[in-house]
Amino acid sequence: MKIVRRINNNVVQVDDNGVSKIVVGSGLGFKAYPGDHINTKKIEQTFVFDKNDNIDQFVKMINSISFDILSISREIYNLCSNGYNLDLSENFVISLADHLQYTLERLKNGITIKNPLDWEVKQYFPIEYKAALSSIVLIKKKILTNFPELEVTSIALHLINAERATETELTGIELTELISLTKKIIEYTFHLTLDETTISFARFATHLRYYLSRQLNSESKDPSIDESLTCIVKQKYSKEYSCAIKITNMMADKYGFDSNASEIVYLTMHITRLIRENREKKL
């Protein structure tokens, strides 16, 4: 592993058998010169790049972030991956570090910002929200004791964006707004107010996330669903089926999704369960 260039005292670009990497470690870049072998024992973090990645842009970003912020971002990555079983992209470390660096600069100037999606994110993505709360506890302990809990939603959105299991081209904000819009269609169709705190709603939100992931990655469910089953669902749950059609039409208009019969049937059954459990809770 040879040094390509020194970025700062803690960050170095290296070549590892033809693979370009950025390595981070305390004092790693001190008296480091191109062509030298890196002291691998000092490496604390590694970021790997392929030929299509803009490494110069990454270098510019990472050079503007303090070593302490990079370290706490890695700790948060480990906390959320191991403590909350979130499958996160490595890019989360840098995107969060960049956000935290900017947040600390805002706080120095007395500027705090409340994210308007706080309620929705808390209800639709409870695991990510709890992980973000734990992240703030860690930040308060390691970086800034008065770090505002108002930042919990922004951190949760970074977690949502970085999750590989439901990785889509939609941002966490877009995903939250889409779930909210779907909820409004259901409430309007059935003339009721859904309880977002229930397990059934959390289950429904999870189904929507995976549905969107499959759509954006062209991995829709098997389109060869039994036609007789579709007919039974349409007859027995006609209102729920009609609601599912409204939702898929909205998604088609907004994002160009083409939902097959299988997706519509599955969505109908999720809506049916959601409505039933919502009504049962109010009895």
Side-chain angles (χ1 to χ4, degrees):
M1 190 180 290
K2 290 186 177 182
I3 297 171
V4 175
R5 59 173 158 169
R6 172 189 175 278
I7 297 168
N8 59 43
N9 279 342
N10 305 304
V11 184
V12 175
Q13 181 183 349
V14 299
D15 180 274
D16 186 10
N17 294 321
V19 178
S20 186
K21 297 180 179 180
I22 296 290
V23 290
V24 181
S26 180
L28 194 61
F30 182 68
K31 291 186 177 180
Y33 302 99
D36 289 350
H37 286 277
I38 198 76
N39 184 351
T40 56
K41 293 181 179 180
K42 286 188 174 183
I43 296 176
E44 298 174 20
Q45 299 191 53
T46 302
F47 301 94
V48 183
F49 298 85
D50 60 36
K51 294 179 181 179
N52 296 321
D53 289 329
N54 189 337
I55 194 167
D56 289 331
Q57 185 177 348
F58 182 89
V59 167
K60 185 177 180 181
M61 179 185 292
I62 202 171
N63 205 23
S64 67
I65 300 170
S66 74
F67 179 71
D68 288 342
I69 294 295
L70 278 173
S71 296
I72 194 68
S73 294
R74 174 59 65 177
E75 287 189 54
I76 290 171
Y77 173 91
N78 294 335
L79 168 69
C80 296
S81 297
N82 301 325
Y84 292 89
N85 294 320
L86 297 179
D87 184 17
L88 302 172
S89 163
E90 282 285 334
N91 291 335
F92 170 76
V93 176
I94 294 300
S95 65
L96 179 64
D98 185 56
H99 172 75
L100 293 178
Q101 189 77 42
Y102 174 66
T103 301
L104 292 176
E105 290 172 5
R106 281 197 287 103
L107 292 174
K108 286 179 182 178
N109 294 316
I111 302 172
T112 56
I113 301 174
K114 179 177 175 59
N115 195 303
L117 294 174
D118 182 73
W119 173 253
E120 288 86 351
V121 172
K122 185 177 183 179
Q123 302 307 320
Y124 302 162
F125 306 103
I127 295 176
E128 291 84 354
Y129 196 89
K130 289 177 182 177
L133 282 172
S134 296
S135 300
I136 286 181
V137 172
L138 193 58
I139 294 169
K140 285 183 174 181
K141 181 180 179 181
K142 297 289 186 74
I143 300 292
L144 187 66
T145 55
N146 63 341
F147 190 84
E149 292 199 7
L150 288 175
E151 286 295 320
V152 63
T153 304
S154 294
I155 294 175
L157 286 170
H158 276 282
L159 287 167
I160 295 164
N161 289 342
E163 284 187 84
R164 286 185 286 218
T166 54
E167 199 169 35
T168 72
E169 294 176 6
L170 298 179
T171 66
I173 292 174
E174 289 172 322
L175 188 57
T176 301
E177 290 177 342
L178 191 53
I179 293 174
S180 182
L181 186 55
T182 300
K183 171 178 172 285
K184 288 177 182 177
I185 291 174
I186 296 173
E187 289 178 331
Y188 178 81
T189 301
F190 292 92
H191 307 290
L192 50 73
T193 301
L194 293 173
D195 185 351
E196 299 169 328
T197 65
T198 62
I199 293 176
S200 57
F201 189 87
R203 188 186 298 117
F204 179 73
T206 299
H207 169 74
L208 280 180
R209 291 177 69 185
Y210 281 93
Y211 163 79
L212 293 170
S213 177
R214 289 193 300 271
Q215 286 289 336
L216 286 164
N217 293 302
S218 301
E219 299 173 355
S220 291
K221 286 182 177 293
D222 181 8
S224 60
I225 190 170
D226 191 334
E227 288 186 13
S228 61
L229 176 59
T230 302
C231 290
I232 292 172
V233 170
K234 287 172 71 173
Q235 290 176 1
K236 189 172 183 178
Y237 306 105
S238 58
K239 195 170 184 178
E240 290 85 351
Y241 187 86
S242 176
C243 183
I245 293 293
K246 290 178 185 177
I247 292 170
T248 55
N249 285 344
M250 175 271 291
M251 293 182 178
D253 292 339
K254 203 170 180 67
Y255 297 105
F257 294 163
D258 184 19
S259 302
N260 57 45
S262 176
E263 292 286 7
I264 296 172
V265 167
Y266 278 103
L267 183 57
T268 299
M269 301 315 297
H270 275 281
I271 293 171
T272 301
R273 185 176 186 176
L274 179 63
I275 297 302
R276 184 183 69 245
E277 293 183 4
N278 193 78
R279 285 173 172 166
E280 287 175 351
K281 186 178 180 182
K282 292 184 178 181
L283 292 178

